[in-house]
Amino acid sequence: MKPLILLRLARLVLHMLFGMALCAWLFPWLGRAARERHVRRWSRHLLSMCNVRVEHAQEAGRALPRAMVVANHVSWLDIFVINTVHPCRFVAKAEIRAWPLLGWLSERAGTVFIARGQRRELRHVFQGLVEHLAAGERIAFFPQGTTALQGESLPFHPNLFEAAIDARVPVQPFALAYLDGAGLAHPAVEYGADVTFVQSMIAVLGAGQITARLCCLPAIDSCGAHRRELALAAQTAVGAALSGGRSEAVEAGRGRGATA
């Protein structure tokens, strides 16, 4: 491993340890707004150490303070990219809890973990999501259920969209892309099934400049909707935005008359 990557990795580990200290000693005494400021600042520093620059586009839609956020899933970086702009309580697969340092940090930061195949636990988690949304929190998840190669479109699973309907909050889609200096999909962030978390982290640290483009899309009203309808509308909006069809993305979001 190159000395520069080792140095960046050491800085990243120290930053994670600092984040663990914040979660353990400071977060229990802070209100939601203060915690979100710390999460935003900490995430920005982490991405800076990874040489990732966030480019936030809101021309298609306006981010709502209270919504269920959904996005395409490319990399472990996705959570931190979204948190630099709009800190959320994330829903993630249970395997992430075992990630070195980041798994513990994610749990203490409020991430809700779901174990596959455990229906009883899923019902309990679902009720918790409804309560968090009803209390005014922003919940986020990746409805693809797994990471996908950039440019690859996977279906959005509809199950968790039911929480937005029950809590009577809109669904806010985001489109995520990672670009190199030429504006093309950056290969270093690809996080397929054959790539471990550590391998992906080392690839990112040695990749040079990465631009994470986060596009906020129009919110989709959940009132009177079916979860499959919401999932398809969000998938269409995100897919159109990633392929450059911004007008289609706007239409997909506005078709249900989204409200703030």
Side-chain angles (χ1 to χ4, degrees):
M1 193 182 299
K2 295 181 179 180
L4 181 59
I5 296 179
L6 281 173
L7 177 61
R8 288 177 175 172
L9 185 59
R11 290 180 60 206
L12 201 59
V13 169
L14 288 174
H15 187 60
M16 291 179 191
L17 292 173
F18 172 69
M20 293 172 74
L22 280 178
C23 288
W25 301 105
L26 188 60
F27 272 30
W29 306 98
L30 297 178
R32 185 191 307 164
R35 288 198 302 269
E36 288 185 354
R37 286 196 297 270
H38 281 286
V39 167
R40 185 182 292 112
R41 187 183 304 117
W42 187 90
S43 297
R44 286 173 178 168
H45 288 165
L46 181 141
L47 293 176
S48 177
M49 292 175 184
C50 294
N51 213 14
V52 176
R53 180 179 65 88
V54 178
E55 182 181 285
H56 182 219
Q58 288 199 98
E59 60 269 20
R62 179 175 60 86
L64 302 179
R66 179 171 174 261
M68 172 169 275
V69 172
V70 298
N72 60 304
H73 197 11
V74 180
S75 166
W76 55 272
L77 293 167
D78 299 346
I79 289 176
F80 307 107
V81 171
I82 293 174
N83 272 342
T84 61
V85 184
H86 306 293
C88 300
R89 181 187 291 270
F90 278 84
V91 182
K93 56 186 180 181
E95 291 89 332
I96 292 178
R97 189 186 275 129
W99 285 1
L101 299 182
L102 279 179
W104 188 92
L105 266 173
S106 298
E107 184 174 15
R108 293 306 295 263
T111 297
V112 178
F113 295 104
I114 294 181
R116 296 175 181 176
Q118 298 187 17
R119 293 186 177 180
R120 181 176 298 179
E121 180 182 349
L122 182 59
R123 286 195 296 269
H124 177 72
V125 169
F126 178 84
Q127 184 58 41
L129 296 182
V130 174
E131 291 173 0
H132 286 305
L133 286 166
E137 293 190 59
R138 188 187 288 113
I139 299 291
F141 73 103
F142 303 107
Q144 291 174 340
T146 185
T147 56
L149 298 176
Q150 296 203 76
E152 181 181 2
S153 179
L154 297 179
F156 281 17
H157 299 294
N159 291 345
L160 292 183
F161 284 86
E162 189 76 30
I165 298 171
D166 286 2
R168 299 181 179 180
V169 299
V171 173
Q172 179 96 67
F174 283 84
L176 264 168
Y178 296 89
L179 310 175
D180 59 18
L184 303 175
H186 205 303
V189 300
E190 305 291 6
Y191 189 28
D194 57 341
V195 179
T196 68
F197 170 64
V198 174
Q199 288 173 334
S200 177
M201 181 180 289
I202 292 173
V204 168
L205 292 175
Q209 181 69 55
I210 299 172
T211 297
R213 180 173 295 168
L214 180 66
C215 184
C216 175
L217 301 172
I220 306 167
D221 189 6
S222 66
C223 183
H226 188 276
R227 63 185 184 182
R228 294 187 185 278
E229 180 184 6
L230 288 177
L232 181 58
Q235 178 185 334
T236 301
V238 171
L242 293 175
S243 65
R246 181 167 297 162
S247 61
E248 296 178 25
V250 173
E251 187 62 29
R254 292 177 179 168
R256 294 199 51 80
T259 58

